[in-house]
Amino acid sequence: MATRTAGAVAPRSEQELLLRGERLGRAMIRARLLEEKLGSLYRAGRIVGGVYLGRGQEALSGAGGVALRKGDVFAPLIRDMAGRLAFGEPMEDALRAYLGSRLGPMKGRDGNIHRGDLSRGILPMISHLGAMVSTVSGVLMAKRMKKERGGVGLTCVGDGATSTGSFHEGLNLAAVERLPLVVVVADNGYAYSTPRERQFACVDLVDRAKGYGVAGVAVDGTDPIACGEVLHRAVERARRGEGPQLVVGTLLRLCGHGEHDDGLYIDSTMKSSGRGRDCMQVMGDQMKKMGREKDWLSWREDAFREVEEAVAKVSAEPVPDPFEEDWRATQMGSGTEVLGSS
């Protein structure tokens, strides 16, 4: 299969750019402001467990969520707040997982990163180390057996996950079966604190697509417009039956591995390089060039109000009561929608 490289890709039409750009821009801003609030809540002792932020990955993650549609399957990871929100996860449900509300889809359990909502097609994360590649492939196989057509599955991994057996087995299966799977690799240069030269010997991770027999595309993960176009096209190709798509976005995690980690191991030269750009700043500059700076600022104001209102609402909600709670995570009774199917 051909390997493609994409930089600042020209959109198909100005109207398409405006519509897709607004969805992506709003998702990026909502994710950034929500995660800034989550960081504050964590430091205030209001969140149990770790908090892992997607600062710097909002463009790549959000573009994946924007490219999908109802009926598709999305398996986000720990830094995919933007993708989740773009795909339709309510901000309140995200907060319910972090603050332990019993009113969310996970009913106040399973921690804050293993959350999902099968009725929306969002799979709860099992592991961020490649496990969701085979999980999404399994869902797509099940849809095929049920004669369901037109759906796409998308999951995200980091560069470190591409070195795991789970990643290899899942992508190999998807390639052999030509499943409509899109795997987005956020190549941030580190597997936690292990630099890329100690992870793999290939020059670029997108080169691995050839070995699996799938299409591969490289994109500047700091460029929102490029991410939006590349992910849109990758999802379209998968939906047309062209088999799995591997999209590798080059970027840098602009924070430590988690809020407990200061990230001092990150090379300063990498921070000052092109991959160290903040996609939020890039998006702001792109909006300004299009004469839409006021829209950008308006979206930010809207997102700020939404975050504050959601935190206030969820903070007042009850936590699980072990004597009353129905601990089943998924109810398969009649009338319940699962993965977009009735």
Side-chain angles (χ1 to χ4, degrees), residues 97 105-116 124-125 327 329:
M106 306 308 289
K107 305 183 189 303
R109 57 180 181 272
D110 289 317
N112 54 57
I113 60 175
H114 296 281
R115 71 186 190 274
M125 187 188 82
W327 293 104

Side-chain angles (χ1 to χ4, degrees), residues 31-299:
R32 176 65 65 88
L33 293 183
L34 176 57
E35 290 198 329
E36 287 178 353
K37 175 62 72 172
L38 291 174
S40 298
L41 293 172
Y42 173 79
R43 290 186 291 274
R46 293 188 57 191
I47 294 178
V48 177
V51 170
Y52 305 89
L53 306 184
R55 178 181 289 272
Q57 297 185 198
E58 292 94 345
L60 186 65
S61 174
V66 168
L68 297 175
R69 67 190 189 195
K70 186 176 181 180
D72 290 338
V73 179
F74 182 35
L77 298 191
I78 60 177
R79 305 187 200 285
D80 284 314
M81 182 69 78
R84 289 173 178 274
L85 296 178
F87 190 54
E89 180 183 51
M91 188 177 289
E92 289 87 351
D93 281 353
L95 279 163
R96 283 169 177 141
Y98 280 92
L99 297 178
S101 167
R102 68 187 297 184
L103 303 185
M106 306 308 289
K107 305 183 189 303
R109 57 180 181 272
D110 289 317
N112 54 57
I113 60 175
H114 296 281
R115 71 186 190 274
D117 187 344
L118 297 184
S119 69
R120 297 180 184 276
I122 303 175
L123 301 185
M125 187 188 82
I126 298 171
S127 168
H128 58 282
L129 296 179
M132 300 311 293
V133 177
S134 57
T135 302
V136 176
S137 295
V139 172
L140 294 174
M141 287 287 288
K143 284 178 172 289
R144 175 184 291 177
M145 293 175 183
K146 293 169 64 177
K147 309 298 184 184
E148 295 180 12
R149 307 297 181 188
V152 170
L154 185 149
T155 189
C156 308
V157 296
D159 47 301
T162 65
S163 300
T164 66
S166 294
F167 175 87
H168 163 73
E169 293 170 359
L171 188 52
N172 187 64
L173 167 68
V176 171
E177 294 292 340
R178 290 190 61 78
L179 297 174
L181 172 71
V182 179
V183 179
V184 182
V185 180
D187 180 4
N188 62 22
Y190 289 89
Y192 198 141
S193 59
T194 302
R196 66 197 318 269
E197 60 267 20
R198 300 300 300 169
Q199 298 180 59
F200 48 83
C202 56
V203 176
D204 195 315
L205 284 174
V206 77
D207 294 338
R208 292 190 172 182
K210 298 177 182 178
Y212 290 103
V214 304
V217 188
V219 65
D220 179 355
T222 71
D223 184 337
I225 291 179
C227 288
E229 184 65 12
V230 166
L231 264 298
H232 178 75
R233 291 183 176 183
V235 169
E236 277 193 334
R237 289 194 297 272
R239 204 180 302 282
R240 288 197 302 264
E242 296 183 24
Q245 310 291 313
L246 182 68
V247 178
V248 180
T250 302
L251 44 80
L252 184 64
R253 185 178 67 229
L254 301 181
C255 54
H257 182 74
E259 284 299 275
H260 59 280
D261 172 34
D262 57 21
L264 290 177
Y265 46 81
I266 299 176
D267 190 340
S268 59
T269 59
M270 188 176 289
K271 292 181 180 179
S272 59
S273 69
R275 75 186 298 158
R277 296 193 303 174
D278 186 347
C279 61
M280 296 293 291
Q281 181 62 52
V282 176
M283 185 67 172
D285 292 341
Q286 291 174 341
M287 293 289 292
K288 187 175 182 178
K289 288 180 180 179
M290 291 186 288
R292 302 191 66 192
E293 186 175 13
K294 290 184 178 180
D295 290 337
W296 181 247
L297 295 175
S298 176
W299 298 347

Side-chain angles (χ1 to χ4, degrees), residues 100-110 317-331:
S101 167
R102 68 187 297 184
L103 303 185
M106 306 308 289
K107 305 183 189 303
R109 57 180 181 272
D110 289 317
E317 293 178 353
V319 297
D321 185 331
F323 299 103
E324 299 178 359
E325 193 68 30
D326 178 354
W327 293 104
R328 291 175 294 173
T330 302
Q331 311 237 352

Side-chain angles (χ1 to χ4, degrees), residues 19 39 313 327:
L19 293 174
K313 177 182 178 180
W327 293 104

